[in-house]
Amino acid sequence: MKRIVLITGATSGIGEACARKFASAGYDVIITGRNAQRLNAVKGDLVEMGAKVKSLVFDVRDREKAREAIESLGPDWNNIDVLINNAGLALGLDKEFELDADDWDTMIDTNIKGLLTMTKLVVPLMVERGQGHVINIGSVAGDTAYGGGSVYCATKAAVKTLSDGLRIDLADTPIRVTNVKPGLVETNFSVTRFRGDAERASGVYKGVKPLIGDDIADVALYAASAPSHVQIAEVLVLATHQANATFISREEE
């Protein structure tokens, strides 16, 4: 029987890599994102791979649109086996007391409230069926704050706490909860953080070989593929020359 994975923020980076990885593993794939054009492009690629794909265009910050999207799935698609809460972002590297209020709203509404919305919409379906797996994409930033990133770090610390709490709430069910915490991953993340400044974003990865989206997708698929009695609760994934959120050994030019 085919299994279904739903991935938020699947238009690029880790989300897109997860979509490709799970499709390759034989999953039917539900991809969500805000950019309809990009989402359709990803869908086309997955269909070419032989996957059965459903795309849903909505912003996880919009609770009503998210609800409408999930309710539109119907019986062929709403038996979701794996939910990957991947949608998230960081904005700027401003000091906490100088950060634009709109930026902290965007990060909190996406990284925390969006995750909560999707969890509330999908997990009850899993509980009703007696099977499922929630994989939250957290961050090493949730372990240690760094200068200019306190709000982003706080949102990823929340992802850890919400993952731990959900695991407790579901301990009397067969549903598993995994928090994957990537370190330095070369995706569109830094370009978004620096508002399209690709040159500044590239400096984040200077002198070190970072992770890529596929590396995190490998971990997510591994967790989902573990035997049903095995729950991979939390995985910290770092580049080889990264020790924690703030220490990276870089090669000098």
Side-chain angles (χ1 to χ4, degrees), residues 35-88:
N35 186 324
Q37 183 177 0
R38 180 60 192 155
L39 203 63
N40 286 334
V42 174
K43 179 179 179 179
D45 289 345
L46 296 176
V47 169
E48 285 188 5
M49 292 170 58
K52 185 179 177 182
V53 186
K54 180 80 170 179
S55 60
L56 300 173
V57 182
F58 67 92
D59 188 331
V60 295
R61 294 178 296 172
D62 189 327
R63 197 172 302 155
E64 185 59 24
K65 292 293 185 184
R67 182 190 63 77
E68 291 174 0
I70 297 304
E71 289 182 353
S72 75
L73 289 174
D76 291 339
W77 283 100
N78 65 6
N79 292 331
I80 298 164
D81 296 284
V82 181
L83 167 64
I84 302 181
N85 279 314
N86 165 74

Side-chain angles (χ1 to χ4, degrees), residues 133-188:
H133 193 160
V134 179
I135 300 176
N136 292 329
I137 305 300
S139 173
V140 64
D143 293 342
T144 307
Y146 54 78
S150 62
V151 173
Y152 173 71
C153 293
T155 66
K156 290 304 184 177
V159 170
K160 172 180 169 52
T161 302
L162 292 171
S163 300
D164 291 345
L166 182 63
R167 197 176 303 112
I168 294 167
D169 291 340
L170 292 170
D172 61 344
T173 78
I175 299 162
R176 303 179 292 184
V177 180
T178 300
N179 180 24
V180 180
K181 304 189 300 184
L184 195 66
V185 185
E186 188 167 12
T187 65
N188 203 47

